[in-house]
Amino acid sequence: MQISTAANPTPVDDARLVEILANPGFGVHFTDHMLTVEWTPDAGWHDARITPYGPLTLDPATAVLHYAQETFEGMKAYRHDDGSIWTFRPEQNAARMVRSSARLAFPELPVEDFVACVDALVEVDQRWVPDSEGEKSLYLRPFMFASEKFLGVRPAQHVTFMVIASPAGAYFKGGVKPVNLWLSETFTRAGRGGMGAAKTGGNYAASLAAQREAIEQGCDQVVFLDDQEFRYIEELGGMNLFFVHADGRVVTPETGTILEGITRASIIELAGKLGHAVEERKFSIDEWRDGVASGEITEVFACGTAAVVTPVGELRSPHGVTPAPASTELTMRIRDALVGMQFGRAEDTFGWMHRVC
Ligand SMILES: *Cc1c(COP(=O)(O)O)cnc(C)c1O
C-alpha cells in the first residue's frame, strides 16, 4: 500500500506538547496528523494518505450516522528507554478488524496494510509518544465506517478506514486500584448470532444504559450476563474477566458472544507458561458468588488494552454484594509481566512486540 504524506504546516509547538504529554488524560488530545484510506467496489482500497489532523466533512445522509456500520480497534505505541517505539501484537488487532469487518459486511483490509497504516502514522507523529515513565503511551484508534451517502439499508459501497492517535496517561493514577462492578440484571450487550464478538460501536451503544446504572450505584463498570438465561458471565463493557482459584486454576468465559480481547489471549498464554491450568468455559454468576464466599476463588481481574489488568473489587447487584476476593497476587504478577514487556523492561519471550521506529 502506497501512503502519501502531507505534513501539517502548523503542528503543535514543542512547549505545548511538553505540557500535553505531562498530563495527557485519555482521548482528549490528538496528534498532528491522521491517516485515511478509501474503498469502493471498483477501485478497492485506494488513496491512502496522511494529512493534518482535522474535522471530516460528512453528508447528513452518510450511512454510518444512520445504521452504525462501523468497526474499530484500540492499541498503543510504547516508548522504550532507548527511545525506540513499539506496538504490542498489532497483527492481532489487524486480524480482529478483519473478523469484525466480516460481521459488519465490510470489505477486508489486509493485515499487512493495517499494520503499515498504523506504523506510518506513529512514525510521522513519533514525538507524540510519551516517555515511558508512569505507563504513558500513545493510544491508537484505527476505525472503519460506511462513508457512502445513501439512506437505503445495504452494505456501503464507499468505506473509509482511518487511524487517529491520542497520548494517554496511566489508567490508574496513584497506583492500581480495584474496580467495583455492577451486575446488570436488565440489559445484555450481545446475543447469539449478534455482534458481541465484533469490535463495533453498536456494542458500546448497547452498554451505555447499563453503564449509567452502574455509576448511579456507585460502581465503576458493568458485568454483563448471557442473553439466554442471565446466568453466565460474559464480560464488562470493554474488558474481559478472569477468575483465579485457590488451586491455581484460572477460568475465563469462553468466546462466542464476547469480544476476543488480545490482552485476554495473551494472559491465557502467559498464565499457562507460569504453570497455571487455564479453562475457557461457561462460568456462572453463582460460581462467582459461592467461590468468593467459600474462598475457592482467590482473585478476580479484568483486562483490556487501556488498563492492561485491573483487580476486581466488589460485585454489587440488586440481590446483594459479593465482596472483593482475598488476593491480587497473580493479578499483579500478570500485570507486571505484560507491562514489563510492553515498555521493554522485561524480556519479550513470546515475540509479541513490534518495532515501529
Ligand atoms: C476492546 C475490547 C476488549 C478488550 O480487548 P483488548 O484487545 O484486550 O484491548 C474487551 N471487551 C470489549 C467489549 C472490547 O471492545
Side-chain angles (χ1 to χ4, degrees):
M1 179 176 275
Q2 288 291 331
I3 304 170
S4 70
T5 302
N8 190 331
T10 55
V12 167
D13 69 50
D14 288 340
R16 176 68 186 132
L17 184 57
V18 166
E19 221 171 76
I20 292 170
L21 296 187
N23 192 8
F26 181 81
V28 284
H29 302 285
F30 295 90
T31 62
D32 296 315
H33 298 90
M34 59 188 190
L35 180 141
T36 310
V37 193
E38 317 285 349
W39 178 90
T40 55
D42 293 341
W45 291 107
H46 63 278
D47 198 13
R49 59 198 189 272
I50 289 173
T51 56
Y53 186 92
L56 305 178
T57 302
L58 293 179
D59 191 281
T62 302
V64 67
L65 299 175
H66 303 274
Y67 308 123
Q69 191 192 3
E70 82 94 35
T71 65
F72 69 95
E73 274 302 324
M75 50 201 292
K76 287 173 171 175
Y78 309 89
R79 192 182 291 282
H80 289 185
D81 291 337
D82 67 358
S84 59
I85 296 171
W86 302 70
T87 51
F88 181 75
R89 311 187 76 182
E91 71 294 338
Q92 295 292 319
N93 294 92
R96 185 167 66 191
M97 181 163 264
V98 169
R99 298 196 297 274
S100 299
S101 299
R103 181 64 185 83
L104 272 290
F106 273 133
E108 176 175 328
L109 178 68
V111 166
E112 58 276 17
D113 290 339
F114 176 104
V115 174
C117 286
V118 170
D119 283 1
L121 184 68
V122 172
E123 195 165 354
V124 164
D125 280 334
Q126 55 183 274
R127 67 192 189 111
W128 285 83
V129 182
D131 288 337
S132 61
E133 83 8 88
E135 286 184 23
K136 287 177 193 162
S137 61
L138 183 65
Y139 185 79
L140 305 168
R141 169 52 57 85
F143 59 107
M144 192 182 287
F145 61 97
S147 44
E148 184 180 4
K149 168 188 159 188
F150 179 56
L151 282 187
V153 180
R154 57 150 168 73
Q157 302 290 296
H158 189 163
V159 175
T160 301
F161 171 76
M162 297 190 71
V163 187
I164 56 175
S166 170
Y171 188 84
F172 297 101
K173 297 225 169 54
V176 174
K177 183 173 129 284
V179 289
N180 291 326
L181 303 181
W182 173 250
L183 182 71
S184 179
E185 296 185 343
T186 328
F187 302 110
T188 60
R189 66 174 284 286
R192 270 199 289 187
M195 310 194 294
K199 206 164 177 77
T200 177
N203 289 333
Y204 281 74
S207 77
L208 294 177
Q211 180 64 28
R212 187 163 57 190
E213 210 173 75
I215 303 285
E216 284 163 7
Q217 298 292 335
C219 295
D220 304 296
Q221 295 208 33
V222 185
V223 179
F224 289 101
L225 296 172
D226 77 279
D227 71 307
Q228 305 280 309
E229 299 178 60
F230 271 92
R231 186 165 159 218
Y232 296 104
I233 307 297
E234 296 254 300
E235 61 170 317
L236 310 187
M239 283 198 260
N240 298 118
L241 283 167
F242 281 84
F243 301 87
V244 183
H245 290 64
D247 62 5
R249 266 179 313 127
V250 177
V251 182
T252 191
E254 64 193 2
T255 57
T257 49
I258 65 167
L259 198 281
E260 297 170 14
I262 293 159
T263 320
R264 174 188 178 278
S266 305
I267 290 170
I268 289 172
E269 281 193 57
L270 189 59
K273 197 155 177 187
L274 293 173
H276 293 267
V278 183
E279 299 171 8
E280 294 181 69
R281 62 169 170 86
K282 284 194 192 315
F283 188 84
S284 74
I285 183 63
D286 296 329
E287 260 189 282
W288 183 343
R289 287 182 171 134
D290 298 347
V292 171
S294 70
E296 164 72 4
I297 291 176
T298 51
E299 305 179 41
V300 181
F301 65 85
C303 68
T305 295
V308 191
V309 170
T310 169
V312 167
E314 279 180 13
L315 172 70
R316 297 182 204 155
S317 81
H319 295 97
V321 177
T322 303
S327 169
T328 59
E329 193 194 314
L330 182 64
T331 303
M332 293 311 290
R333 237 172 100 204
I334 287 175
R335 186 173 204 286
D336 291 344
L338 284 174
V339 170
M341 273 183 240
Q342 288 167 341
F343 287 100
R345 296 181 195 121
E347 199 195 335
D348 176 18
T349 46
F350 294 90
W352 282 341
M353 299 308 293
H354 165 80
R355 183 165 181 168
V356 177
C357 58

